[in-house]
Short mmCIF file of all heavy atoms in Angstrom, two decimals:
data_model
loop_
_atom_site.label_atom_id
_atom_site.label_comp_id
_atom_site.label_asym_id
_atom_site.label_seq_id
_atom_site.Cartn_x
_atom_site.Cartn_y
_atom_site.Cartn_z
N GLY A 68 -14.92 -3.61 19.78
CA GLY A 68 -14.78 -2.50 20.72
C GLY A 68 -15.56 -1.31 20.21
O GLY A 68 -15.61 -1.06 18.99
N ALA A 69 -16.17 -0.55 21.10
CA ALA A 69 -16.95 0.62 20.70
C ALA A 69 -16.06 1.64 20.01
O ALA A 69 -14.90 1.84 20.40
CB ALA A 69 -17.62 1.25 21.93
N SER A 70 -16.58 2.29 18.97
CA SER A 70 -15.80 3.26 18.20
C SER A 70 -15.39 4.45 19.05
O SER A 70 -16.18 4.96 19.86
CB SER A 70 -16.62 3.75 17.00
OG SER A 70 -15.97 4.82 16.35
N ILE A 71 -14.16 4.93 18.84
CA ILE A 71 -13.70 6.13 19.53
C ILE A 71 -14.17 7.39 18.81
O ILE A 71 -14.01 8.50 19.31
CB ILE A 71 -12.17 6.17 19.68
CG1 ILE A 71 -11.49 6.25 18.31
CG2 ILE A 71 -11.67 4.97 20.47
CD1 ILE A 71 -9.99 6.50 18.38
N ASN A 72 -14.77 7.22 17.62
CA ASN A 72 -15.14 8.36 16.79
C ASN A 72 -16.58 8.82 16.96
O ASN A 72 -16.95 9.88 16.47
CB ASN A 72 -14.89 8.04 15.31
CG ASN A 72 -13.42 7.86 15.00
OD1 ASN A 72 -12.59 8.66 15.42
ND2 ASN A 72 -13.09 6.79 14.30
N ASP A 73 -17.41 8.02 17.63
CA ASP A 73 -18.84 8.34 17.73
C ASP A 73 -19.11 9.28 18.90
O ASP A 73 -18.93 8.91 20.07
CB ASP A 73 -19.66 7.06 17.92
CG ASP A 73 -19.62 6.17 16.69
OD1 ASP A 73 -19.16 6.63 15.64
OD2 ASP A 73 -20.05 5.00 16.79
N GLY A 74 -19.53 10.49 18.59
CA GLY A 74 -19.95 11.42 19.63
C GLY A 74 -18.81 12.00 20.45
O GLY A 74 -17.64 11.64 20.29
N ARG A 75 -19.14 12.91 21.35
CA ARG A 75 -18.14 13.51 22.24
C ARG A 75 -17.75 12.51 23.32
O ARG A 75 -18.52 11.61 23.67
CB ARG A 75 -18.71 14.78 22.89
CG ARG A 75 -18.92 15.92 21.90
CD ARG A 75 -19.61 17.09 22.56
NE ARG A 75 -18.72 17.82 23.47
CZ ARG A 75 -17.94 18.84 23.11
NH1 ARG A 75 -17.94 19.27 21.86
NH2 ARG A 75 -17.18 19.46 23.99
N TRP A 76 -16.58 12.70 23.86
CA TRP A 76 -16.10 11.81 24.92
C TRP A 76 -16.62 12.28 26.27
O TRP A 76 -15.88 12.85 27.08
CB TRP A 76 -14.58 11.79 24.94
CG TRP A 76 -13.97 10.95 23.87
CD1 TRP A 76 -14.60 10.21 22.93
CD2 TRP A 76 -12.57 10.77 23.63
NE1 TRP A 76 -13.70 9.58 22.12
CE2 TRP A 76 -12.45 9.90 22.52
CE3 TRP A 76 -11.41 11.26 24.24
CZ2 TRP A 76 -11.20 9.53 22.01
CZ3 TRP A 76 -10.18 10.90 23.75
CH2 TRP A 76 -10.08 10.02 22.64
N THR A 77 -17.88 12.05 26.51
CA THR A 77 -18.40 12.25 27.85
C THR A 77 -17.84 11.14 28.74
O THR A 77 -17.28 10.15 28.24
CB THR A 77 -19.93 12.16 27.84
OG1 THR A 77 -20.32 10.84 27.39
CG2 THR A 77 -20.54 13.20 26.88
N GLU A 78 -17.99 11.29 30.03
CA GLU A 78 -17.51 10.23 30.93
C GLU A 78 -18.23 8.92 30.64
O GLU A 78 -17.64 7.84 30.69
CB GLU A 78 -17.71 10.65 32.39
CG GLU A 78 -16.77 11.75 32.83
CD GLU A 78 -15.30 11.41 32.60
OE1 GLU A 78 -14.88 10.29 32.98
OE2 GLU A 78 -14.56 12.25 32.05
N GLU A 79 -19.51 9.02 30.29
CA GLU A 79 -20.27 7.81 29.96
C GLU A 79 -19.74 7.16 28.69
O GLU A 79 -19.60 5.93 28.62
CB GLU A 79 -21.75 8.18 29.77
CG GLU A 79 -22.64 6.98 29.46
CD GLU A 79 -24.10 7.38 29.28
OE1 GLU A 79 -24.41 8.59 29.30
OE2 GLU A 79 -24.94 6.46 29.12
N ARG A 80 -19.42 7.98 27.67
CA ARG A 80 -18.91 7.42 26.41
C ARG A 80 -17.53 6.79 26.62
O ARG A 80 -17.23 5.73 26.07
CB ARG A 80 -18.83 8.52 25.36
CG ARG A 80 -18.35 8.02 23.98
CD ARG A 80 -19.30 6.99 23.42
NE ARG A 80 -18.75 6.34 22.23
CZ ARG A 80 -19.29 5.27 21.66
NH1 ARG A 80 -20.41 4.74 22.15
NH2 ARG A 80 -18.76 4.73 20.59
N LYS A 81 -16.69 7.44 27.41
CA LYS A 81 -15.35 6.90 27.69
C LYS A 81 -15.46 5.55 28.40
O LYS A 81 -14.71 4.61 28.11
CB LYS A 81 -14.54 7.89 28.52
CG LYS A 81 -14.05 9.08 27.71
CD LYS A 81 -13.59 10.23 28.58
CE LYS A 81 -12.36 9.91 29.37
NZ LYS A 81 -11.88 11.09 30.13
#
Side-chain angles (χ1 to χ4, degrees):
S70 172
I71 64 171
N72 294 314
D73 293 348
R75 292 174 73 89
W76 283 359
T77 61
E78 289 305 312
E79 181 180 5
R80 182 61 189 170
K81 286 164 67 175

